[in-house]
Amino acid sequence: MKDILNFINGEFVATSKQFEKRTPVDDSLIGMVHEAGQDEVNAAVAAARAALEGPWGKMTVQERTEILNKVADEITRRFDEFLEAECADTGKPKSLASHIDIPRGAANFKIFADVIKNAPTEFFEMATPDGKGAINYAVRRPVGVVGVVCPWNLPLLLMTWKVGPALACGNTVVVKPSEETPQTATLLGEVMNACGVPKGVYNVVHGFGPQSAGEFLTTHQGVNAITFTGETRTGAAIMKAAAEGARPVSLEMGGKNPAIVFADCDIDVAIEATLRSCFANCGQVCLGTERVYVERSIFDAFVARLKEGAEKLKLGVPSDSNTNMGPLVSQEHRNKVLSYYKKAVEEGATVVTGGGIPEMSAELAQGAWVQPTIWTGLDDNATVVREEIFGPCTTVMPFDSEEEVVRRANNTHYGLAASVYTQNINRAHRVAAQLEVGLVWVNSWFLRDLRTPFGGSKQSGIGREGGVHSLEFYTELKNVCIKL
Ligand code: NAD
Ligand code: 6OD
């Protein structure tokens, strides 16, 4: 059994208060997580401040980005250890994590090292009454100590998506991983030390949200900016905490993402992408689809093919290369998802497939397994059509016109992502333009170019990250005006 420690000022730190980390595959104990209290959070923030004012803050962009490229290479060299830790914490299949989570964990350091090296700033010449003129130029400076609060669904990917650009821009960080997925953030501490990242630049404090490390970090006045990924309700609490001291926030939050399937789509493409968007990572992807609108003339055929695909998914242990669906992250989350499965039926859903707990072998029976589930027969007011479930389930509903489906897709407080399936290029542009979301995929899903803006509208987020947009959050842009 492991001790999963905090990482503060380049050292692994144990505490007297610990909590269990169990794997959702079979509920066996992986290790004890050492919870950071106020003292450890204070120490982490102080270490981050000292590193900012010391070696990290004094490095050139070239020196810093060379180190970050080494970090990426070291993650890749220790790929199997990261894979093992991530799959044990989350239960996700290795086939998935080895293509998405771990490679992106490394890429997030390389890409943002390149972005910061290549991002220009503005320059303006101006005329003045004395005829001599003035020049203006902008320079980027780090915002300071950044608090990074992370969720459990793509732990390494989503943490490095923030830490990569924050460090590239010259900031220092204190990371609060999800209590459900503590391991890879700690492992990254070893990588930081091995690559010569100065102590205090990257710190990890473990614990929960309220009255624990999450709250201690976000209310700490030594933290200059907070970047958060997680539920909308938590984001609102963090925004309140950040108001004290008027500190900036970047919030990536929940979604209730629609897929819109027009009759003129390539149905093979639509089915393949919708199966992924509904069921990949056991439905625990913020960008995942939980509402599928299908044009009435192809509705029955689409539902039949989606059902066939869902029923072919192979639930199993992460190490089995045939597994393409793992358990949910925890028993607690399974209870939440199952309560929605029950609610759907109470509100009149037809269960096309799934709807309960699958039969697993005796050794996996204590795991957090649920069946991939498809409902029809619900209208837009049903609870499972309105609320984010974050499980492997979706409602499929027919529509009759483009105007109708756009209105229904937009009828939500969320605004993260949408997918549109059509071969009519005019329709693709027209519909994409009208959807009230931060991200639209046409004939695809979760196809990511890290140079592009990423984030949600409405209650799905505040701000954009990705490419130069990350620089907007992780740097202060300062204008220097020189009178000639
Ligand atoms: P969560 O909001 O419960 O927890 C996220 C993090 O916040 C955890 O580390 C938690 O300990 C911490 N936290 C909780 N309360 C806090 C508080 N009061 N102060 C400070 N920290 C606090 O989210 P989750 O259950 O880990 O993740 C699932 C949610 O995340 C879903 O809603 C999903 O849509 C969303 N998500 C969004 C994106 C995106 O990019 N928009 C990406 C992934 C997940
Ligand atoms: O790909 C990314 O950069 C990103 N932030 C993905 C978010 C997925 C949500 O679960």
Side-chain angles (χ1 to χ4, degrees):
M1 203 185 51
K2 292 181 183 162
D3 276 309
I4 303 163
L5 303 177
N6 302 284
F7 183 69
I8 300 172
N9 206 22
E11 288 180 2
F12 292 92
V13 176
T15 60
S16 55
K17 199 169 167 196
Q18 292 150 28
F19 59 93
E20 290 182 344
K21 171 58 201 166
R22 291 180 175 272
T23 178
V25 174
D26 58 8
D27 205 36
S28 59
L29 191 60
I30 297 177
M32 297 305 290
V33 188
H34 289 242
E35 185 177 349
Q38 185 73 62
D39 287 349
E40 287 77 25
V41 172
N42 289 348
V45 174
R49 172 73 46 205
L52 188 70
E53 286 162 8
W56 194 246
K58 295 196 170 67
M59 274 184 198
T60 62
V61 170
Q62 187 63 29
E63 287 166 334
R64 246 184 1 239
T65 53
E66 267 170 27
I67 294 181
L68 295 178
N69 276 306
K70 274 194 209 160
V71 168
D73 293 339
E74 184 67 3
I75 294 174
T76 306
R77 195 184 70 76
R78 298 181 65 175
F79 193 94
D80 290 345
E81 286 169 82
F82 277 96
L83 187 62
E84 204 59 54
E86 201 74 313
C87 294
D89 275 1
T90 58
K92 64 179 75 189
K94 282 191 176 170
S95 57
L96 179 78
S98 61
H99 279 97
I100 297 187
D101 302 61
I102 314 304
R104 262 296 300 278
N108 285 334
F109 287 100
K110 284 213 188 265
I111 299 266
F112 289 104
D114 285 347
V115 170
I116 190 75
K117 274 194 294 198
N118 295 307
T121 56
E122 296 149 71
F123 172 85
F124 291 100
E125 280 181 295
M126 71 186 285
T128 54
D130 65 5
K132 292 181 181 164
I135 58 170
N136 292 273
Y137 62 89
V139 287
R140 290 192 184 280
R141 290 291 174 259
V143 281
V145 175
V146 179
V148 183
V149 183
C150 308
W152 43 256
N153 61 323
L154 301 164
L156 182 71
L157 185 159
L158 290 174
M159 184 260 283
T160 53
W161 161 247
K162 310 291 197 164
V163 170
L167 297 191
C169 291
N171 302 285
T172 57
V173 297
V174 181
V175 174
K176 211 298 276 169
S178 167
E179 52 275 32
E180 302 286 358
T181 51
Q183 289 200 76
T184 46
T186 301
L187 197 50
L188 190 58
E190 290 180 22
V191 167
M192 295 287 176
N193 279 350
C195 295
V197 174
K199 62 183 188 171
V201 170
Y202 171 81
N203 304 274
V204 179
V205 289
H206 289 298
F208 303 85
Q211 290 160 27
S212 182
E215 184 179 319
F216 301 149
L217 179 62
T218 52
T219 54
H220 200 299
Q221 293 304 303
V223 171
N224 302 103
I226 303 166
T227 182
F228 165 78
T229 309
E231 280 190 26
T232 298
R233 216 178 12 192
T234 314
I238 286 180
M239 205 171 171
K240 272 193 195 145
E244 188 67 42
R247 294 161 307 146
V249 288
S250 171
L251 304 177
E252 292 176 5
M253 307 189 284
K256 188 72 189 176
N257 311 304
I260 303 177
V261 185
F262 287 98
D264 61 12
C265 72
D266 177 329
I267 188 121
D268 293 338
V269 168
I271 288 288
E272 183 276 330
T274 307
L275 280 168
R276 275 194 300 118
S277 71
C278 295
F279 303 122
N281 208 36
C282 200
Q284 303 163 119
V285 181
C286 60
L287 311 161
T289 302
E290 291 190 357
R291 300 182 282 154
V292 185
Y293 297 95
V294 182
E295 198 162 357
R296 197 174 297 277
S297 61
I298 61 162
F299 182 79
D300 290 342
F302 185 91
V303 171
R305 286 198 53 187
L306 200 67
K307 171 181 184 324
E308 188 189 343
E311 288 174 355
K312 278 193 189 140
L313 290 169
K314 176 145 184 338
L315 279 64
V317 294
S319 57
D320 182 342
S321 58
N322 294 317
T323 297
N324 40 30
M325 194 167 133
L328 290 168
V329 76
S330 65
Q331 296 292 343
E332 188 189 346
H333 189 50
R334 180 167 79 160
N335 291 341
K336 176 183 160 187
V337 171
L338 288 175
S339 75
Y340 280 107
Y341 281 17
K342 186 161 169 268
K343 190 92 181 162
V345 173
E346 284 165 5
E347 293 187 356
T350 300
V351 180
V352 175
T353 189
I357 298 175
E359 261 190 41
M360 303 300 291
S361 60
E363 60 278 18
L364 302 181
Q366 300 308 310
W369 305 92
V370 288
Q371 289 176 318
T373 295
I374 300 170
W375 301 292
T376 55
L378 291 171
D379 67 26
D380 295 356
N381 296 319
T383 309
V384 297
V385 180
R386 286 184 294 106
E387 296 182 10
E388 183 188 47
I389 302 170
F390 222 53
C393 51
T394 194
T395 309
V396 193
M397 294 165 286
F399 71 87
D400 295 299
S401 76
E402 188 180 306
E403 180 270 331
E404 171 208 337
V405 78
V406 167
R407 181 175 39 75
R408 290 172 65 193
N410 284 339
N411 184 20
T412 167
H413 294 304
Y414 291 113
L416 187 52
S419 306
V420 179
Y421 300 94
T422 177
Q423 296 194 79
N424 177 335
I425 189 78
N426 291 324
R427 191 203 293 278
H429 285 294
R430 204 163 53 226
V431 172
Q434 294 175 80
L435 289 170
E436 297 166 356
V437 291
L439 304 142
V440 179
W441 278 286
V442 176
N443 298 327
S444 178
W445 177 74
F446 206 173
L447 183 59
R448 292 278 290 118
D449 180 328
L450 302 191
R451 296 168 299 183
T452 59
F454 181 98
S457 58
K458 300 198 221 170
Q459 292 187 20
S460 288
I462 294 190
R464 293 291 180 272
E465 297 197 31
V468 293
H469 308 283
S470 294
L471 306 191
E472 296 305 325
F473 183 70
Y474 295 109
T475 61
E476 286 286 356
L477 201 51
K478 173 161 51 185
N479 187 66
V480 179
C481 175
I482 300 194
K483 174 72 178 69
L484 299 174

